[in-house]
Amino acid sequence: MSFDVSQNQDNAELLALFAKGNRLSTISLTSRLAPIIFSQAFHMLNNRADAEDVTQEALLQLWKIAPKWDPNRAQITTWLYRVTSNLCIDRFRKSKRVSSEEMPEVIDKTPDVDQKMQFMARSKALYAGLKILPDRQRQAIVLRHLEELSNPDISEIMEISIEAVESLIARGKRSLVSTLVPQKKALGLNDD
Amino acid sequence: MTDKDFNHLKLGESDLDKLFDAARDTLPIMDPDFLDQLQIQAFEAMPITRQINSGNSNIKIFKWISTVIPQFGGLHASISLVLIAAIGVIIGFNPPDLVLDFTTIYFDTETLIELAGINNETQIYWEDF
């Protein structure tokens, strides 16, 4: 078992150490933050290569701002969620290729092939539904239901009121429902 | 017709949750090589590393200069050469009166331009040689 002192340090402390040239803090910070960014970017773009590009870019922005980081201003994760969202929206607008062009690998925790196929079909349908939502609705739904953040956190990330977040999520879900209803049976949502 | 007949036209909160669960569960695992690449980029982006790298480029320039100077006979000789070259350029562009006087007496011309033969009425024909 490795003893990592940085486990007990928060992200802001690690970023301050990074700015001073501490390599251990850099490893910890990258290992902590990269999966968070990658997850959000993949959920927004549904494309591994694009998600990796966004992860890289968001982290580079963080390293750049590190020497001037003010820990009293915002949490690093909040700032990163915001940066990642903006990068994803920019990329999404440019490419418009969030689609089934890449089917994600299924993590091997499903018991049989049928269930795996069903998971993939549901995932694909959801991404197709998310694709046609307005940017802000998609962003709010991804943060709430895929990244599982709280509404106050989302309001801070999106810099809007909690009521506005709730409204975006509600409207987004209504649109998703109307898009996905015809596929209800095909997605196996009628029998359980 | 009962409500059950319209059931296929409804998608409840629990149905949506199943779709969200599926999307979360099918999130690809981050490639370890990609994580390594991010670590390397982070090291390169460290402010200390950036300073050292920029310092290295200065060191390279000084090293190059220190190899060039001995080829011109040392520091004093190199400085003298540079100064003489600079004076030559200045005189070429804006010759002082002293230079003009000297050329006037020695070459019997009024101006340096005349000495150079520019706008001179004298024509040189190859047949003369």
Side-chain angles (χ1 to χ4, degrees), chain A residues 86-104:
Chain A
N86 292 337
L87 288 171
C88 287
I89 289 169
D90 285 349
R91 195 165 276 262
F92 185 80
R93 282 176 186 163
K94 278 178 195 162
S95 66
K96 288 276 179 194
R97 60 189 172 113
V98 177
S99 66
S100 56
E101 73 181 56
E102 177 176 325
M103 272 315 296

Side-chain angles (χ1 to χ4, degrees), chain A residues 18-23 26-27 30-31 34 38-39 42-43 48 52 56 63 67 104-105 107 109 119 122-123 126 141 145-146 148 173 177 180-181 184 189 192, chain B residues 7-31 34-35 37-39 41-43 45-50:
Chain A
F18 164 85
K20 288 175 186 165
N22 184 310
R23 292 174 83 87
T26 311
I27 295 168
T30 312
S31 310
F38 178 77
S39 167
F42 187 86
H43 285 142
R48 180 192 276 272
E52 286 183 349
Q56 218 165 18
W63 307 142
E105 309 147 27
I107 298 164
K109 61 186 179 187
F119 261 63
R122 285 177 180 180
S123 174
L126 180 72
I141 285 187
H145 290 286
L146 296 177
E148 298 180 295
K173 280 164 90 171
V177 164
L180 296 171
V181 140
K184 186 177 177 182
L189 296 170
D192 48 358
Chain B
N7 205 34
H8 68 287
L9 296 174
K10 288 178 185 169
L11 204 64
E13 194 77 19
S14 65
D15 293 326
L16 272 183
D17 284 343
K18 283 171 193 159
L19 298 181
F20 292 131
D21 289 344
R24 275 197 305 273
D25 288 346
T26 53
L27 176 72
I29 301 159
M30 228 172 74
D31 187 351
F34 175 60
L35 192 61
Q37 193 187 327
L38 292 175
Q39 303 278 16
Q41 282 177 346
F43 290 141
M46 280 173 92
I48 301 288
T49 316
R50 282 209 302 265

